Amino acid sequence: MELEQAIKQRCSCRTYLPTAISDEQIYKIVESARLAPSSKNAQQWKFVCIKAKKESHDIADIMKNYYLNNKDNEEAMKGAGSVYSTGLILDQCPAIILVFTDSERIDRTKVEDTSAVLSIGAAVEHMMLTATDMGLGCLWIADTYFVRDELADYILDKLKGTKYESFINVNNRLLCAMAVGEAGEPKYTRPRKSMEEILCIINN
Ligand SMILES: Cc1cc2nc3c(=O)[nH]c(=O)nc-3n(C[C@H](O)[C@H](O)[C@H](O)COP(=O)(O)O)c2cc1C
């Protein structure tokens, strides 16, 4: 698929078929993240891919429970309106790629933290376009923000005693996630702002 076509074809997919995703497919997707640009070439990213059903359900439950435990708490629910529905999506998608950063704390006053977020954005977009190119559906997820520490602790605990024990540590912050799998819904094109609204060219 041509790049332009992949950019036009990509859309957020929120329903997935149960078809399994192979490790080779995951390697291909993450390989495109590995090649992404990053500030100072620091490659401030780590990816944990969850294909196991139990763990996917656990992650989904952590997200859904955030809503159930906080739905009457206006402060906690600010910006978290879709956390439950995103949890439902994670419950049924065949693979979840959790994206961690090396930054201890995302602090927008620090250039390296902003750069880490931007670099990881580039890596995730590479993965989204690659998944689209492979004919898969995908969804970029930031609702993990509301349960980022709980999810990171959950993953740390899962890796304990395995060969991946030191793959991530408490300093690796969970920044976002990506759902990927065979799309269970047709492509849906969402509206965009016009060029006039978003571009200004200063020419001489
Ligand atoms: C950084 C980022 C975070 C997002 N987080 C979520 C999310 O947590 N849950 C969700 O359902 N969609 C999420 N989305 C998808 C957006 O809602 C979607 O990209 C937007 O509505 C435009 O639709 P499209 O992707 O189909 O073009 C996210 C997208 C981006 C870029």
Side-chain angles (χ1 to χ4, degrees):
M1 193 186 286
E2 293 296 324
L3 177 63
E4 188 183 345
Q5 208 186 337
I7 289 171
K8 285 183 175 162
Q9 285 277 318
R10 187 215 57 79
C11 67
S12 292
C13 175
R14 295 186 172 88
T15 312
Y16 294 89
L17 300 178
T19 322
I21 293 294
S22 70
D23 286 358
E24 287 66 34
Q25 286 173 299
I26 296 297
Y27 278 120
K28 190 168 176 185
I29 290 166
V30 178
E31 172 65 3
S32 70
R34 202 176 69 83
L35 300 177
S38 62
S39 167
K40 308 265 197 298
N41 200 21
Q43 302 165 59
Q44 313 88 323
W45 45 58
K46 290 256 173 135
F47 305 95
V48 175
C49 177
I50 311 288
K51 295 204 301 176
K53 268 290 126 224
K54 183 194 175 306
E55 282 71 13
S56 299
H57 290 320
D58 288 347
I59 288 170
D61 282 348
I62 290 172
M63 301 209 39
K64 289 189 280 181
N65 287 336
Y66 181 88
Y67 168 79
L68 296 172
N69 296 331
N70 292 291
K71 60 180 188 309
D72 299 323
N73 179 341
E74 208 178 305
E75 193 54 36
M77 284 308 293
K78 257 187 204 154
S82 56
V83 71
Y84 190 90
S85 57
T86 300
L88 291 176
I89 296 163
L90 293 181
D91 230 346
Q92 40 101 10
C93 78
I96 305 168
I97 300 175
L98 298 169
V99 186
F100 289 84
T101 171
D102 287 344
S103 304
E104 198 162 330
R105 184 159 294 137
I106 301 304
D107 174 357
R108 280 194 279 161
T109 61
K110 287 200 183 133
V111 66
E112 56 277 16
D113 291 329
T114 301
S115 298
V117 176
L118 293 170
S119 304
I120 284 169
V124 176
E125 182 62 1
H126 273 207
M127 295 199 292
M128 300 280 290
L129 292 177
T130 301
T132 304
D133 185 47
M134 293 162 69
L136 297 170
C138 55
L139 178 67
W140 194 331
I141 292 164
D143 277 340
T144 45
Y145 173 85
F146 301 98
V147 288
R148 62 198 183 284
D149 291 338
E150 204 178 332
L151 284 179
D153 287 347
Y154 175 83
I155 296 297
L156 278 172
D157 197 53
K158 279 283 153 192
L159 299 183
K160 215 176 274 172
T162 75
K163 64 175 176 172
Y164 296 116
E165 171 125 29
S166 54
F167 184 70
I168 57 164
N169 59 54
V170 287
N171 291 329
N172 295 122
R173 309 286 297 177
L174 179 70
L175 198 58
C176 61
M178 176 178 147
V180 62
E182 294 272 350
E185 63 186 25
K187 174 182 157 53
Y188 178 73
T189 305
R190 292 164 179 97
R192 288 296 190 260
K193 291 180 181 175
S194 69
M195 192 58 84
E196 290 71 31
E197 286 174 280
I198 63 163
L199 174 69
C200 154
I201 298 179
I202 299 176
N203 192 2
N204 293 329

